[in-house]
Amino acid sequence: MFRRALAAVAAGLVVVGAAVAADALRTVEGNGVSLRVAPDWVRVPRADDRPVTDPRTLLVVGTHGVRPIDTECQVASYRVPADGAAVVVIGWKGKLGVSYLPGKEALFAKELERGFFECFDGRGIAAQVELRAHTYQLNVMVGDRADRATVAEAMATARSFALAD
């Protein structure tokens, strides 16, 4: 009986901890989309998309130290610290006829892969979502020395994608 009571208390603490963590999240919006981020994550200035006109980068968030850089790659146009992470949301003007990436559920099931993005040596993953006749791509980039908590925050941030009100 003592073990059951102890297990119930432990489970309750986990639920309370998760609720407190969820309350600590804040919403970052831009260009019609939003992400929920941990308190220490920041909005990152978008890199120049030129010459690409479709898709466009809509919103970028990351840990401290993430910043735009000049590359020929649209998604990986950001310096991500070795212990940091970034989420880059791009969107098309309309709906793509064919998607080469799995939907948002892939962000629950797949592992980060090294070499996923051109111009980025760290680990990454991406997923495409279709909402209101538009296709959006959620891109997660994580540095090689990022701890499990940072990886979890990055994945949760990408999964939180929504259209802004």
Side-chain angles (χ1 to χ4, degrees), residues 2 14 20 28 30 51 93 104 114 117 131 137 140-141 152 156:
F2 177 73
V14 169
V20 169
V28 177
K93 292 177 183 171
K104 200 166 156 180
R114 179 169 307 293
F117 297 108
L131 296 171
Q137 186 170 306
V140 178
M141 296 185 294

Side-chain angles (χ1 to χ4, degrees), residues 35 104 107-108 138 152 154-162:
L35 295 168
K104 200 166 156 180
L107 298 174
F108 289 93
L138 317 172
M155 297 299 279
T157 297
R159 289 190 299 262
S160 75
F161 170 80

Side-chain angles (χ1 to χ4, degrees), residues 1-156:
M1 187 141 143
F2 177 73
R3 285 185 181 175
R4 283 187 190 162
L6 186 59
V9 168
L13 290 174
V14 169
V15 170
V16 168
V20 169
D23 288 344
L25 297 178
R26 62 186 170 78
T27 301
V28 177
E29 295 182 353
N31 298 299
V33 299
S34 71
L35 295 168
R36 303 265 299 150
V37 300
D40 58 339
W41 279 53
V42 297
R43 184 175 182 156
V44 177
R46 291 179 295 153
D48 186 359
D49 284 335
R50 284 181 289 177
V52 177
T53 59
D54 193 33
R56 299 296 295 179
T57 302
L58 302 176
L59 183 61
V60 181
V61 297
T63 57
H64 288 282
V66 173
R67 62 179 169 79
I69 57 174
D70 188 26
T71 72
E72 294 180 10
C73 297
Q74 183 177 19
V75 172
S77 291
Y78 301 90
R79 180 198 171 276
V80 177
D83 62 349
V87 174
V88 179
V89 178
I90 62 174
W92 282 261
K93 292 177 183 171
K95 198 176 194 180
L96 289 179
V98 176
S99 175
Y100 296 100
L101 294 172
K104 200 166 156 180
E105 62 277 355
L107 298 174
F108 289 93
K110 290 184 75 176
E111 294 289 322
L112 295 167
E113 297 176 28
R114 179 169 307 293
F116 190 88
F117 297 108
E118 286 184 54
C119 306
F120 180 65
D121 292 332
R123 298 169 289 164
I125 192 170
Q128 288 179 344
V129 177
E130 292 185 352
L131 296 171
R132 294 190 192 152
H134 294 278
T135 300
Y136 300 92
Q137 186 170 306
L138 317 172
N139 304 283
V140 178
M141 296 185 294
V142 177
D144 287 331
R145 291 195 317 257
D147 59 23
R148 287 183 180 163
T150 301
V151 172
E153 288 174 352
M155 297 299 279

